[in-house]
Amino acid sequence: MRALTFASRNTKEITRELSTSLFGIGFPVVLLILLSAIDKSIPDGYGPDLFNIEKLAPGITVFGLSFLCLFSSMLISKDRTTSFVLRLFTSPLKPSDFILGYTMPLLPLAVLQGIVCYLCALCFGLKVSLNLIVAVVVNIPIAVVFIALGLLFGSILNEKAVGGICGALITNLSAWLSNIWFDTAMVGGAFKAVADCLPFSHAVNAARAAAAGDFRGIFPDLWWVIAYAVVLTVAAIAVFTAKLKKN
Amino acid sequence: MEAVKTVNLTKKYKNITAVNNLNLTINKGELYALLGVNGAGKSTTIKMLSCLTAPSSGDAELMGFSIVTDKEKVKSLINVSPQETAVGAKLTVRENLEFIARIYGADKKEARAKADRIIEDFSMEETAKSKASTLSGGWQRRLSIAMALITEPEILFLDEPTLGLDVLARRELWRIIEQLKGKITIILTTHYLEEAENLADRIGIMAHGVLCAQGTAAELKEKANNNDFEEAFITIAGEAIK
């Protein structure tokens, strides 16, 4: 109950920052429109296969979720800077209430982001299908990964630092190592090995399989993402609790 | 009755002893001001008493409950208004108040009723629908104290409540704090000596983690043999630092 109350407060803080919501939902859509337009202007067979709308749309939905890392880290670090979190540390809220309260408001945003992206993709030739609903659901674990990363960094870094780490580093890292913009197999070697160890390319593979109706193909990629989501959430709780005790 | 009683309360950070064997008793309904130069140990004392940090040794009882073994009970009896304004920037005044009431266990209806009451007590009717971020520093601080009071705490910690405020806003907050005197126990930390002198029933002076003197403002002036409270503080704290 307390977690829900805290989540409600965080929802208000996030949604009333209009630029955050618009950027989070708008930027992936702008990318989708631009890249689809470019792909359309290239004769068939000459453009990169990854920019076909069937592959591009699920990829962009995953890329868009990387901004959740920035939002969650900014929210928590801001609360730390203003001592709001200090006030809450003296309240009956438990560490699990904090983590749930920070995570829950961002999940509807993740779902909304996916829906808007796929609706936009329909205008560029993506076929209407119930599989797209499955693809939106399949994105939830990677959304949790990004939120947990944000909570981890937000618990230890200040507002300025999280902008750099979560806004630039994580966003870029997840983009390069995700198979969205280029196939990591083309680079091969250590680059591909690292990409395969991280959850981002697996999330994109799972989303593409779901959107294509290849439900068997969702796994084992989704297991990788779920495992990361669990480990990072536990790590976020541990770090937050340690921070709480250290105060 | 004793609201706060510390027994050899100590906090060590590696080689530094921030608070050293503090033995302090604060009576119910008393406004107790904790003074000291930077690094004297007053913030660490407040952090321990408000369960933000665990003592290295010793204990303290708040309304009879230990900060070591009955932390959750203590948390339900106290509230804190931190040094920074610590309000939800995008929430309105009313939403901030109702939010705090609800995380302390009030249901929606109760939270609304409590918010109504405190908005009236703090004369915040006109700003109730304004977002906290749009309020002036003085009004944000007023809201911060109101948020601490909406849970009807038995003990209220006010950490530098008037820091950075202009003289009018400070006097207005003094008026609010004075109205609370006798109703709840208040522990106030401040760098403004006139604030402690004007508001507190008793004052404790800390230096190097030790409580070096305590008493009413008049008693402390007498102890330092000086009629000016600032001079008396300098004498007492200065001697302790030597």
Side-chain angles (χ1 to χ4, degrees):
Chain A
M1 192 62 204
R2 287 188 169 111
L4 282 176
T5 304
F6 186 46
S8 160
R9 173 262 169 182
N10 291 332
T11 304
K12 285 172 189 158
E13 290 281 352
I14 293 165
T15 53
R16 287 177 189 176
E17 187 77 65
L18 200 63
S19 56
T20 303
S21 312
L22 286 179
F23 184 76
I25 293 171
F27 187 62
V29 168
V30 170
L31 273 179
L32 188 75
I33 293 170
L34 279 175
L35 292 169
S36 299
I38 292 168
D39 187 58
K40 290 258 179 207
S41 66
I42 298 171
D44 283 349
Y46 287 91
D49 176 44
L50 294 176
F51 286 3
N52 291 341
I53 196 69
E54 291 80 13
K55 287 196 170 178
L56 184 66
I60 295 267
T61 61
V62 172
F63 174 69
L65 296 175
S66 65
F67 294 105
L68 295 179
C69 178
L70 178 65
F71 300 157
S72 62
S73 62
M74 291 290 277
L75 185 62
I76 199 166
S77 66
K78 205 172 183 181
D79 280 350
R80 282 176 48 229
T81 316
T82 59
S83 282
F84 193 78
V85 90
L86 196 78
R87 181 191 283 282
L88 300 180
F89 279 172
T90 62
S91 78
L93 283 178
K94 294 186 172 68
S96 55
D97 293 328
F98 279 101
I99 298 297
L100 280 172
Y102 279 123
T103 305
M104 282 192 286
L106 289 166
L107 288 176
L109 190 65
V111 172
L112 183 67
Q113 203 175 52
I115 292 170
V116 171
C117 263
Y118 280 121
L119 283 175
C120 181
L122 294 178
C123 307
F124 288 92
L126 188 71
K127 286 179 185 152
V128 180
S129 158
L130 285 175
N131 300 334
L132 300 183
I133 296 171
V134 181
V136 170
V137 175
V138 162
N139 273 356
I140 289 175
I142 190 67
V144 174
V145 166
F146 285 119
I147 294 167
L149 275 172
L151 296 180
L152 258 177
F153 288 116
S155 297
I156 50 178
L157 301 174
N158 63 30
E159 252 184 295
K160 274 186 185 171
V162 292
I165 298 282
C166 301
L169 191 67
I170 298 288
T171 313
N172 277 294
L173 206 68
S174 64
W176 296 336
L177 299 167
S178 63
N179 282 333
I180 301 171
W181 314 113
F182 57 89
D183 191 343
T184 52
M186 277 168 54
V187 183
F191 189 85
K192 185 175 172 6
V194 171
D196 287 346
C197 287
L198 294 172
F200 313 118
S201 63
H202 295 290
V204 173
N205 293 343
R208 280 177 180 158
D214 175 15
F215 298 136
R216 281 190 181 173
I218 294 173
F219 296 97
D221 285 297
L222 195 60
W223 289 126
W224 273 87
V225 186
I226 290 170
Y228 265 97
V230 171
V231 169
L232 286 169
T233 304
V234 170
I237 293 172
V239 169
F240 194 85
T241 308
K243 200 81 190 166
L244 197 151
K245 284 181 179 165
K246 199 183 166 193
N247 255 290
Chain B
M1 188 198 166
E2 292 158 348
V4 179
K5 188 181 181 187
T6 72
V7 181
N8 298 328
L9 193 66
T10 301
K11 182 71 185 181
K12 290 182 180 172
Y13 295 103
K14 291 180 183 167
N15 298 326
I16 299 163
T17 304
V19 177
N20 195 4
N21 284 315
L22 181 69
N23 290 293
L24 175 69
T25 302
I26 300 170
N27 298 318
K28 201 176 171 192
E30 193 175 19
L31 196 160
Y32 190 93
L34 211 46
L35 299 182
V37 293
N38 291 335
K42 50 188 196 305
S43 291
T44 308
T45 303
I46 298 295
K47 279 184 176 177
M48 284 191 283
L49 294 179
S50 56
C51 300
L52 277 171
T53 190
S56 306
S57 61
D59 198 353
E61 282 187 357
L62 275 71
M63 306 306 291
F65 297 100
S66 159
I67 59 166
V68 178
T69 55
D70 301 311
K71 228 164 119 175
E72 294 309 311
K73 186 69 190 165
V74 170
K75 279 183 170 189
S76 69
L77 295 173
I78 64 166
N79 214 320
V80 180
S81 177
Q83 200 175 102
E84 292 82 4
T85 42
V87 296
K90 301 281 176 200
L91 268 59
T92 66
V93 165
R94 173 178 284 283
E95 285 169 342
N96 266 296
L97 293 166
E98 290 184 6
F99 164 65
I100 295 293
R102 294 207 66 193
I103 59 168
Y104 276 79
D107 63 30
K108 225 172 180 174
K109 204 176 161 189
E110 280 170 343
R112 175 157 278 275
K114 283 182 176 206
D116 283 340
R117 201 160 53 237
I118 208 122
I119 284 169
E120 194 187 330
D121 288 349
F122 277 68
S123 310
M124 294 191 293
E125 292 90 345
E126 282 182 24
T127 55
K129 288 180 183 167
S130 305
K131 281 185 189 159
S133 57
T134 64
L135 303 177
S136 68
W139 278 91
Q140 285 195 10
R141 209 61 69 84
R142 186 190 286 231
L143 171 60
S144 181
I145 296 174
M147 285 164 75
L149 281 170
I150 197 165
T151 61
E152 295 163 22
E154 306 238 18
I155 300 169
L156 173 66
F157 295 93
L158 295 176
D159 193 8
E160 310 258 2
T162 62
L163 186 73
L165 296 185
D166 63 51
V167 69
L168 291 179
R170 181 180 303 165
R171 285 298 167 96
E172 183 56 22
L173 272 187
W174 283 13
R175 192 188 59 77
I176 289 169
I177 295 167
E178 267 173 341
Q179 285 172 353
L180 299 170
K181 279 178 76 171
K183 294 176 187 163
I184 57 172
T185 309
I186 301 174
I187 300 165
L188 167 89
T189 66
T190 181
H191 278 295
Y192 299 117
L193 301 178
E194 76 277 19
E195 189 163 287
E197 189 180 10
N198 278 300
L199 293 175
D201 297 313
R202 277 194 307 148
I203 298 164
I205 298 175
M206 288 186 79
H208 287 319
V210 175
L211 185 70
C212 48
Q214 68 171 336
T216 62
E219 285 167 352
L220 292 171
K221 283 192 277 191
E222 198 182 320
K223 183 182 166 94
N225 204 16
N226 199 314
N227 273 335
D228 182 69
F229 186 67
E230 190 169 319
E231 291 299 326
F233 170 79
I234 291 168
T235 305
I236 295 167
E239 274 175 15
I241 289 168
K242 278 178 201 168

